Amino acid sequence: MPVLPTLHTTCPIMVRIFQRTLNLRAALRHLSPHSTFSPTATARLSHVGLRSPSLPATSRQIGVRCQNLHTGADGPRPSPAAVPDRLPFSTITQDDLAFFRKILPGRAITDPDLLESSNVDWLKSVRGSSEVLLRPQSTEEVSQILKYCNSRNLAVNPQGGNTGLVGGSVPVYDEIILSTALMNNILTFDSISGILTCQAGCVLENLSCYLEERDYIMPLDLGAKGSCHIGGNVATNAGGLRLLRYGSLHGTVLGLEVVLADGRVLDCLATLRKDNTGYDLKQLFIGSEGTLGVITAVSILCPRKPKSVNVVFLGCETFEQLLKTFQLCRGMLGEILSAYEFLDSECMRLLNTHLKLSNPISDCKFYIVIETSGSNPQHDGEKLHNFLEEAMTSSLVTDGTVATEDSKIKALWSMRERITEALTHDGFTYKYDISLPVEQIYQLVTDMREHLGDRAKSVVGYGHVGDGNLHLNIVSPAKDPALLAVIEPFVYEWTASCHGSISAEHGLGLKKRNYIYYSKPNQAVALMGDIKAMLDPKGILNPYKTLPDNLK
C-alpha cells in the first residue's frame, strides 16, 4: 500500500477524504502541484458507439434546402458563409466626421493604425474596412450617434470586447464601429439582493473582481473574461462555464437599457426579480447580436460567492464512461455541482504542444473538469468523497487530481479554458458551436473524423456536457475552401437530424446567418425579420449578420 502524500494543496477535509479512500481499492500517488488519485482497478466499460444518426424526413428536407445554397445547375456556388454584396448605405463624408467630432471630442478615431484591431475579429478570419471608430461614454452620446446615422442611412457596427467567433463583432464593409469600451462604469450594487447595474462596456473579469470583494460572483464565466464586455455577453447570450449551475442570461439579466436604431432610448433597466406587466421586451435583445438595438446598460442578478470550491480533473477511456460519470455526478453532488466540462485527448495534445501545459494526470482518451461550490466545506467535502469513492470503485474513471486552492484551481481550469488559444497555434480552424442531446455530442466528432478522413490536420471536441454543448474544431494548415465544402453542410445536416442547434452560445453572426434554417422553421425566421424591420426599418444596425440574406 503506497504512503499517503503530503496534501499541502488541499484542506484538512480533503485529506480525510483521501485517507478514507485509501482504505478502499484505490492507490494514491503524489503529483505536484496537485493531490492525485488513481483507482487500481483495471476493468473498463466496453465502448458502445452510437450509430450515425439517420436523417428524419423533415431534417432531410431542411438539409436539401440548405444544400442548394452550395450547389446549383451551373456547379458550386459560394458558401452561405461568404460575404454578401454591400447594401446601399451611405458613405461617410467630412460633414459626418465633423458631427461626430463635435459630440465626441477626441473620441472619433480615423487613424488607420488605431482602427486596425477593431476591423479584424479575434480569429483574424473576418476583416472589415471601416474608416471611423466612435467611442461614446454615455447613453446620450450613443443616442445622438444612432439618431444621426439613421437619418443619414449610415450603417453601424456595435462592438464590445471583439472576442466573438462568428464574425458578428466586426464590420463587413465600411460600417461605422461604435465601441462601448469607454462605457465601463458600475452604476449600482445592492449587497442585499445581489443585483448589479453597470454600463455595457464593463469587462467581465473586472466585474467579477468587484463582486468578489463584496462576497458575490458573476453568474457567468468565460475563457475570454479578461477582454469580453458584459454588453457583448448579453447581446450574444453567452453561456460559459457556469450555465449548469446558474442558468442562462435570459434568466439572470433583470433589465436592460437599449438605444434603438433611430436614437430612442428604451429604459427597461429594472432591478426586480418579478415583474409581470406586459411583454418582457428585454428578452428580444438578449442574443440579438446588436441587430435590434445597442445595449448600453445591464442589471443582472449575482449569486453569493461560495465559501467552498473544489475542482476535480478526471480521466476516462470512453465517452460512455464520461456520460455515466456525469449521471453519477448529478445524482451525488446535487446542489453543489457548478460545472461539468470535457475535452478529448487531441485537445490535451494541443495544450501540451503549443502552450506547454502538462497533463496533470496520466494519458486518457477523455478528460473531465468538475467544479463544486457551496457554503459548507465539510458538507461539500463529504459529498465529493462519496462521489469519488463510487466513481473509482465502479471503474468509471482511471485517474484524477483535486485542487482546492485558488492557484491550483486556476491551473486545472486552464486545461479547459485555453483550448481555443492552443487551436490558434495549430493552423486555420473551422469552429462549430453545436447543441445536441447529451448522449450524442461526441458522436459528431467521431463521425466528422470518419467523414473527413485525412483531409483535415485534426478534429477535436470539447465543451459543456452539463448543457449538451459541443465545441467542434477542425484544423487545416491553411484556409481551405475545398475542406470547408466537405465540412458544410454535413455538420449542419448531422445536427439537424438530431434536432440540435447549429449555434449553442456563439451566435450566428456573419458566418452562420444563412444556416439558421437548420435550427429554426421558416415561420420563426420570418417573424424575426418582421421584428428587425419594425425596430430597424433601414437596417443600419449590424447589417449582414444573424438573419439570412434572403428571408423566406
Side-chain angles (χ1 to χ4, degrees):
M1 181 71 71
V3 178
L4 179 71
T6 302
L7 301 178
H8 60 276
T9 64
T10 59
C11 64
I13 291 171
M14 294 307 298
V15 174
R16 291 198 298 274
I17 288 174
F18 285 103
Q19 286 173 332
R20 291 171 58 184
T21 304
L22 257 180
N23 296 326
L24 301 169
R25 55 198 203 95
L28 287 171
R29 60 181 172 81
H30 180 65
L31 179 61
S32 179
H34 310 293
S35 304
T36 310
F37 66 88
S38 176
T40 57
T42 58
R44 297 286 181 272
L45 292 174
S46 62
H47 175 62
V48 181
L50 295 170
R51 298 180 63 186
S52 299
S54 58
L55 292 173
T58 54
S59 296
R60 287 184 184 275
Q61 292 165 2
I62 293 173
V64 169
R65 182 167 72 240
C66 292
Q67 174 72 43
N68 291 337
L69 295 171
H70 285 265
T71 58
D74 299 325
R77 294 178 180 175
S79 164
V83 174
D85 292 337
R86 186 185 186 278
L87 295 173
F89 296 113
S90 301
T91 55
I92 198 160
T93 65
Q94 288 299 318
D95 288 342
D96 298 327
L97 289 177
F99 174 81
F100 294 135
R101 287 167 177 155
K102 179 180 179 181
I103 65 169
L104 302 174
R107 291 177 282 122
I109 311 300
T110 56
D111 185 332
D113 292 335
L114 297 179
L115 276 160
E116 172 66 19
S117 62
S118 297
N119 261 316
V120 63
D121 71 330
W122 186 79
L123 292 173
K124 294 180 171 53
S125 62
V126 179
R127 182 181 296 274
S129 54
S130 177
E131 298 178 352
V132 184
L133 168 65
L134 304 181
R135 293 163 60 88
Q137 294 177 323
S138 69
T139 300
E140 176 57 30
E141 289 179 346
V142 174
S143 176
Q144 291 181 64
I145 291 168
L146 292 187
K147 182 178 180 180
Y148 181 85
C149 289
N150 191 60
S151 69
R152 282 274 296 117
N153 197 34
L154 291 167
V156 177
N157 181 94
Q159 188 175 92
N162 197 15
T163 58
L165 300 175
V166 291
S169 60
V170 292
V172 176
Y173 290 103
D174 56 348
E175 300 91 274
I176 294 168
I177 301 172
L178 195 163
S179 170
T180 60
L182 299 183
M183 300 181 67
N184 56 7
N185 293 316
I186 293 173
L187 304 176
T188 63
F189 176 65
D190 187 330
S191 60
I192 297 176
S193 65
I195 297 172
L196 173 76
T197 303
C198 63
Q199 287 185 299
C202 290
V203 174
L204 180 59
E205 190 169 46
N206 293 343
L207 293 177
S208 296
C209 292
Y210 174 89
L211 288 170
E212 286 183 15
E213 293 174 356
R214 290 154 180 81
D215 212 26
Y216 280 84
I217 61 172
M218 287 294 287
L220 75 159
D221 186 23
L222 308 171
K225 56 181 171 283
S227 303
C228 64
H229 296 180
I230 187 62
N233 298 152
V234 174
T236 57
N237 191 27
L241 306 172
R242 290 175 179 163
L243 190 140
L244 176 63
R245 176 69 174 271
Y246 300 116
S248 77
L249 292 173
H250 278 293
T252 54
V253 171
L254 301 181
L256 293 177
E257 180 184 72
V258 181
V259 180
L260 302 180
D262 60 5
R264 286 178 296 164
V265 178
L266 180 63
D267 185 357
C268 292
L269 202 59
T271 56
L272 300 173
R273 294 286 301 275
K274 301 175 77 173
D275 180 4
N276 205 17
T277 52
Y279 305 126
D280 191 2
L281 294 178
K282 70 175 182 292
Q283 300 296 347
L284 276 177
F285 302 95
I286 300 174
S288 66
E289 302 184 68
T291 61
L292 301 181
V294 177
I295 296 171
T296 52
V298 178
S299 63
I300 188 166
L301 180 65
C302 304
R304 288 296 297 268
K305 181 180 178 180
K307 293 183 171 62
S308 168
V309 176
N310 302 297
V311 171
V312 184
F313 194 88
L314 305 175
C316 56
E317 291 303 314
T318 70
F319 198 73
E320 184 181 12
Q321 290 175 336
L322 186 149
L323 292 178
K324 287 182 178 293
T325 304
F326 176 55
Q327 288 179 297
L328 182 70
C329 183
R330 292 189 72 180
M332 298 190 70
L333 296 181
E335 79 287 350
I336 67 170
L337 177 63
S338 55
Y340 192 101
E341 304 285 307
F342 91 97
L343 55 146
D344 63 14
S345 56
E346 274 294 289
C347 292
M348 184 61 74
R349 180 185 65 81
L350 294 175
L351 290 167
N352 180 255
T353 301
H354 299 297
L355 303 183
K356 307 305 178 187
L357 295 179
S358 299
N359 188 347
I361 61 176
S362 59
D363 290 341
C364 299
K365 295 289 182 62
F366 296 96
Y367 302 92
I368 307 166
V369 182
I370 298 172
E371 182 184 81
T372 67
S373 55
S375 58
N376 187 320
Q378 183 173 357
H379 168 267
D380 297 353
E382 193 69 23
K383 296 192 79 163
L384 185 58
H385 158 71
N386 292 336
F387 160 69
L388 294 175
E389 176 182 323
E390 181 63 27
M392 288 188 295
T393 56
S394 59
S395 297
L396 292 178
V397 299
T398 59
D399 201 0
T401 183
V402 176
T404 60
E405 293 181 1
D406 285 346
S407 60
K408 308 304 186 294
I409 286 172
K410 289 178 181 178
L412 287 184
W413 264 121
S414 67
M415 308 303 294
R416 166 62 182 84
E417 292 182 326
R418 298 186 67 188
I419 297 171
T420 300
E421 179 186 351
L423 282 161
T424 62
H425 296 284
D426 202 48
F428 188 89
T429 306
Y430 295 96
K431 306 182 76 66
Y432 299 92
D433 166 46
I434 304 295
S435 183
L436 291 164
V438 174
E439 67 274 10
Q440 293 175 308
I441 60 176
Y442 200 75
Q443 189 61 38
L444 175 54
V445 181
T446 302
D447 286 359
M448 182 60 75
R449 285 172 179 159
E450 181 179 349
H451 177 67
L452 295 180
D454 59 0
R455 294 184 182 94
K457 182 177 180 181
S458 61
V459 178
V460 309
Y462 63 96
H464 319 287
V465 176
D467 46 62
N469 184 185
L470 169 70
H471 295 305
L472 171 68
N473 290 258
I474 300 162
V475 183
S476 64
K479 192 172 184 178
D480 186 347
L483 174 61
L484 180 61
V486 180
I487 298 171
E488 300 174 5
F490 174 83
V491 63
Y492 299 125
E493 291 173 346
W494 200 105
T495 301
S497 75
C498 296
H499 307 287
S501 170
I502 65 163
S503 181
E505 61 180 3
H506 291 168
L508 295 169
L510 171 71
K511 296 179 181 179
K512 297 184 180 182
R513 69 196 186 283
N514 285 322
Y515 294 112
I516 190 172
Y517 292 107
Y518 281 106
S519 296
K520 291 291 187 292
N522 289 350
Q523 299 92 329
V525 179
L527 184 57
M528 293 179 197
D530 292 342
I531 294 170
K532 168 72 171 175
M534 178 184 69
L535 294 177
D536 181 16
K538 293 185 177 181
I540 68 166
L541 289 177
N542 222 10
Y544 322 109
K545 319 284 178 59
T546 307
L547 294 178
D549 296 340
N550 298 308
L551 285 170
K552 299 186 188 305

